[in-house]
Amino acid sequence: MTPLDFLPYLDALDLSAVAVLILCWAIVGWRIENPSPDKPSVSIIMADYRREWMQRMIGREVRIFDAQTVGTLRQGTAFFASTSVIAIGGTIALIGNADRIAGLAEDFTDTAAPAVIWEMKLLIVVAFLTNAFLKFVWSNRLFGYCSVLMGAVPNDPNDPASPSYAYKAGELNIAAARSFNRGLRSVYFALASLGWLAGPIPLVATSIVTVAIVWRREFASRSRAVLLEQP
């Protein structure tokens, strides 16, 4: 089968829907990380708290709480990384049984597309999950770097090196969280890309719904309002 033979099954509407999916993923991610100053996202608000956390750590003689918190964050990244690998394996297994998927899809959509079309649609899911895995792994490593720098912070608030080390630890903590959030968004849009199995219109719909969910959590959630409350 030549690429031209795919055109009756993969037309401009499908390509446009995929473009909408990718644009939604890229634009919402950029906006969350680069919001307007008067309406910061939860990620940006939390970045300030992370910096303050590292500075307050300087004055604590016993830093078991800080170490446990970073350890918990690392466990979260490890969990999602392993989950992404399992999901990638499961999706690849589905690709290996694309003929059965094509038969099932034909019953629901009345579209007799060849198996290779369904394989291409599932590869979008694999691409998002692979990106998520890479982000989670990098986040895990950055939290490890942060732990090392936290251990290097002098146990003396009056030591002139303390603020500098605490600042570096805070910035690494923020970078790790940013990578973790990017991984989560990739997982969200991997789920959204499953809408393509039902057709281009459902893919656009799932993309928009995913953007709405992510946007609300970052800019209109109750947790954001709590973070902005003045003590």
Side-chain angles (χ1 to χ4, degrees):
M1 180 174 287
T2 65
L4 292 178
D5 295 328
F6 296 154
L7 292 180
Y9 309 105
L10 196 64
D11 55 18
L13 187 58
D14 285 283
L15 298 178
S16 298
V18 174
V20 169
L21 172 72
I22 295 174
L23 282 174
C24 285
W25 167 69
I27 291 174
V28 75
W30 181 87
R31 189 59 179 173
I32 287 171
E33 295 179 5
N34 301 274
S36 60
D38 58 334
K39 191 172 184 180
S41 63
V42 170
S43 298
I44 297 301
I45 296 170
M46 285 302 300
D48 292 334
Y49 278 105
R50 292 174 189 275
R51 292 189 181 96
E52 186 174 354
W53 168 24
M54 291 296 108
Q55 292 300 322
R56 289 183 181 273
M57 180 192 65
I58 298 175
R60 282 194 279 269
E61 290 187 12
V62 180
R63 298 170 181 173
I64 296 176
F65 167 79
D66 305 289
Q68 288 179 336
T69 303
V70 174
T72 301
L73 293 173
R74 291 196 73 186
Q75 289 176 3
T77 60
F79 169 78
F80 279 101
S82 60
T83 302
S84 298
V85 170
I86 294 172
I88 291 170
T91 308
I92 292 176
L94 285 176
I95 292 175
N97 292 281
D99 290 327
R100 297 180 64 181
I101 297 174
L104 180 62
E106 185 177 352
D107 294 336
F108 287 97
T109 63
D110 293 328
T111 302
V116 68
I117 296 297
W118 304 104
E119 292 173 356
M120 292 173 60
K121 292 181 178 183
L122 288 173
L123 282 175
I124 296 292
V125 181
V126 172
F128 276 111
L129 290 174
T130 301
N131 181 70
F133 169 76
L134 295 174
K135 296 299 182 184
F136 290 138
V137 170
W138 183 235
S139 176
N140 184 279
R141 192 166 187 177
L142 286 174
F143 277 126
Y145 295 160
C146 176
S147 298
V148 173
L149 274 176
M150 288 170 63
V153 175
N155 204 16
D156 180 7
N158 298 319
D159 192 307
S162 295
S164 175
Y165 279 109
Y167 170 80
K168 292 178 181 179
E171 293 304 309
L172 283 176
N173 197 303
I174 292 168
R178 180 167 56 245
S179 186
F180 181 77
N181 290 333
R182 289 174 178 175
L184 284 180
R185 286 196 295 273
S186 290
V187 171
Y188 295 155
F189 280 94
L191 295 174
S193 64
L194 290 173
W196 198 16
L197 296 176
I201 301 302
L203 176 59
V204 173
T206 54
S207 300
I208 294 174
V209 169
T210 302
V211 168
I213 292 173
V214 174
W215 188 273
R216 179 191 172 280
R217 291 178 178 178
E218 288 286 341
F219 294 99
S221 63
R222 173 57 184 163
S223 56
R224 179 181 182 276
V226 171
L227 290 171
L228 289 174
E229 287 179 358
Q230 297 297 325

